[in-house]
Amino acid sequence: MSSENETTTPDPHCLFCRIVSGEIPAEVVATNDHAIAFRDLNPQAPVHVLVIPRRHAANAAETAAQGGTDALITLADKVAQQEGLDQGYRLVFNTGRDGGQVVFHTHLHLLGGRNMGWPPG
Ligand code: AMP
Ligand code: ZN
């Protein structure tokens, strides 16, 4: 996975590709070579950050096939430390309609700052 490919093949119709390119603003809290973390517009917990690959893919399985999921998890943990989530946090990949996915650019939800219920809704 070359960084050139990651930055030169955005989908112009994809909301999160447009955040990666900077065309749409976001409150970015951390980045690495392969991923960007920014605050969710509609937070479901005191800390709710989305961690996305720079390279477009529709869901976590596609990103995994590209070897890109480790960078997401590593960056999510860095954000959790930055945000002081020393009591833990939850990571979620909503996938497909029944999974509640509405944006079809892979995104890892990082949720923390409160006790998470189980089972989830
Ligand atoms: P999902 O339902 O897993 O596809 O989650 C999509 C998430 O993207 C939701 O939690 C939305 O609140 C969030 N979202 C949508 N547009 C934006 C945006 N422009 N900036 C930040 N978060 C967004
Ligand atoms: Zn995209």
Side-chain angles (χ1 to χ4, degrees):
M1 172 163 57
S2 75
S3 58
E4 181 184 13
N5 188 49
E6 288 169 38
T7 55
T8 56
T9 56
D11 175 348
H13 305 294
C14 171
L15 172 65
F16 286 176
C17 281
R18 295 167 78 192
I19 287 178
V20 171
S21 73
E23 185 188 343
I24 292 178
E27 189 180 343
V28 175
V29 294
T31 65
N32 64 23
D33 285 350
H34 303 294
I36 296 177
F38 55 93
R39 295 197 193 282
D40 197 292
L41 267 188
N42 183 23
Q44 302 301 311
V47 175
H48 187 175
V49 168
L50 301 176
V51 185
I52 71 171
R54 294 180 186 273
R55 182 177 179 183
H56 180 84
N59 57 46
E62 277 192 17
T63 294
Q66 297 166 354
T69 44
D70 286 3
L72 302 182
I73 294 167
T74 299
L75 192 60
D77 188 67
K78 179 181 174 185
V79 173
Q81 290 180 40
Q82 281 179 194
E83 298 285 327
L85 302 180
D86 52 332
Q87 299 303 305
Y89 56 83
R90 181 167 292 171
L91 300 179
V92 177
F93 285 116
N94 293 330
T95 302
R97 187 193 62 183
D98 279 0
Q101 184 179 10
V102 298
V103 177
F104 288 86
H105 178 129
T106 308
H107 49 282
L108 178 59
H109 292 262
L110 165 64
L111 297 145
R114 65 170 170 82
N115 191 262
M116 297 295 153
W118 194 266

